[in-house]
Amino acid sequence: NDTVSTTLSSCLGNGDGLTSVTIGPDATDDYATINDFFDVLKSSGLCGPIEAVIKQGTYNEQLVLSNIAGLSAENYVIIRGEGDADQTIVTYTPATDAENDAKYVLSIDSVSNITLQDLTISMTDTTTSYVVAVNHSANITFNQVTFATPHSVTPDLLRIGTSNNLSFTDNNFYGSSNQIKTEDAITTLNINNNRFYDFGTTALNLSAINNLQINNNSFSTDTSKIELTAVKLSQISNSLS
C-alpha cells in the first residue's frame, strides 16, 4: 500500500476584520521573533488582514519578506513597533566573511500591500552595500520609520528595484552615501514629509520613475563634504510635484 502524507497549515487572519498578533519575549506573545512571524506568513498565507505589533526592544535579525499567498488590498499586513520608532529597533550583525550584498537588514521582494511603521531599522556594519531593499513589490508603505547607519560610506540606505506604488511618509533617514536610490523602473513613488540627515553624497538618487511625488521633505548634512546633492533626478516621466 502506498502512503501519501502532507502537512496542512491554516491561513492567517479572517474575513471578519483585522487580526492582531504580538511579537516579543513574553510567553503570552504569539511569536518570539520577527522571523517566526515571517515564516508563518510565508508557509500559511493570508485569509484576512493582519497587524503584527512588535514589542519594544532590540531585535538582531536579518529579515526577508517575500512570497506570501493571499495578499491583496483587502488582505493586507501592517507591521508596527509598540510605541515610538526609537523604542523598537531591528538591526543585524552579519558574519565577517559574508558577501557585502548579503549584509542587509531587510529585503522585501515579490509582495504587495505591506505597511511598516513605528520602527527603527539600523545597520552598523561598514561593509554592507545596502540596509533595506525593495524589489518586484507593490503598494508598500513606510510610515514613521527611522532608517539608520552611522557610516556615510555605506552605498545605499534604501535600495529600490522594479516596483509599483511605494510610499514614504514621515520617516527619518540617517547616514549612508545615498539614502533612497532607485535602480530599475518604478511606477508611482511618493516621498512626503520625511527628514534626511547626514547623507554622504545624495539623499534622493532617483531615476527611471513614472509618476513621482516629492513634497515637504527636509535635508540636512555636513556641507564641508566635497560633493553633495540633496536630490538627483533622471528619466522622470509624468507628474513631478
Side-chain angles (χ1 to χ4, degrees):
N1 295 326
D2 293 331
T3 300
V4 176
S5 64
T6 186
T7 300
L8 299 178
S9 176
S10 60
C11 56
L12 293 178
N14 61 74
D16 297 328
L18 182 66
T19 298
S20 184
V21 299
T22 59
I23 300 169
D26 300 325
T28 54
D29 292 322
D30 298 285
Y31 304 96
T33 70
I34 306 169
N35 270 313
D36 288 345
F37 173 62
F38 282 12
D39 288 345
V40 173
L41 277 178
K42 286 181 269 191
S43 63
S44 300
L46 288 179
C47 48
I50 192 162
E51 177 187 58
V53 179
I54 307 173
K55 293 284 190 69
Q56 295 179 18
T58 298
Y59 298 78
N60 193 336
E61 303 186 54
Q62 185 177 52
L63 305 173
V64 177
L65 191 56
S66 64
N67 301 317
I68 300 170
L71 281 166
S72 67
E74 294 77 25
N75 295 350
Y76 54 85
V77 177
I78 300 171
I79 302 164
R80 68 173 180 86
E82 179 188 52
D84 296 330
D86 61 357
Q87 295 174 304
T88 304
I89 300 167
V90 183
T91 187
Y92 178 62
T93 305
T96 55
D97 59 350
E99 295 292 331
N100 290 350
D101 281 350
K103 294 181 179 181
Y104 56 86
V105 179
L106 172 63
S107 173
I108 298 174
D109 198 333
S110 304
V111 294
S112 65
N113 301 287
I114 304 286
T115 296
L116 291 98
Q117 64 185 60
D118 302 322
L119 298 167
T120 292
I121 303 173
S122 68
M123 170 69 84
T124 59
D125 187 274
T126 60
T127 59
T128 183
S129 296
Y130 58 91
V131 178
V132 176
V134 179
N135 291 286
H136 308 109
S137 295
N139 305 321
I140 307 297
T141 298
F142 293 90
N143 182 37
Q144 295 183 340
V145 174
T146 294
F147 302 87
T149 174
H151 308 287
S152 62
V153 296
T154 298
D156 303 323
L157 195 55
L158 197 151
R159 182 180 293 178
I160 304 174
T162 302
S163 293
N164 176 46
N165 195 23
L166 307 182
S167 178
F168 297 87
T169 304
D170 199 21
N171 303 291
N172 295 309
F173 296 81
Y174 293 91
S176 83
S177 180
N178 300 290
Q179 295 189 324
I180 298 180
K181 182 180 180 182
T182 60
E183 293 200 318
D184 296 294
I186 310 294
T187 301
T188 308
L189 175 61
N190 298 310
I191 303 173
N192 300 314
N193 301 303
N194 302 281
R195 294 155 296 278
F196 298 87
Y197 304 100
D198 302 327
F199 49 92
T201 305
T202 308
L204 302 178
N205 191 345
L206 309 177
S207 62
I209 300 171
N210 183 357
N211 192 16
L212 171 65
Q213 182 183 81
I214 304 174
N215 279 321
N216 299 318
N217 301 281
S218 64
F219 303 89
S220 175
T221 194
D222 178 5
T223 56
S224 68
K225 294 184 174 71
I226 296 174
E227 183 177 350
L228 292 170
T229 305
V231 180
K232 181 179 180 181
L233 303 177
S234 65
Q235 296 178 294
I236 308 299
S237 58
N238 289 335
S239 60
L240 172 62
S241 36

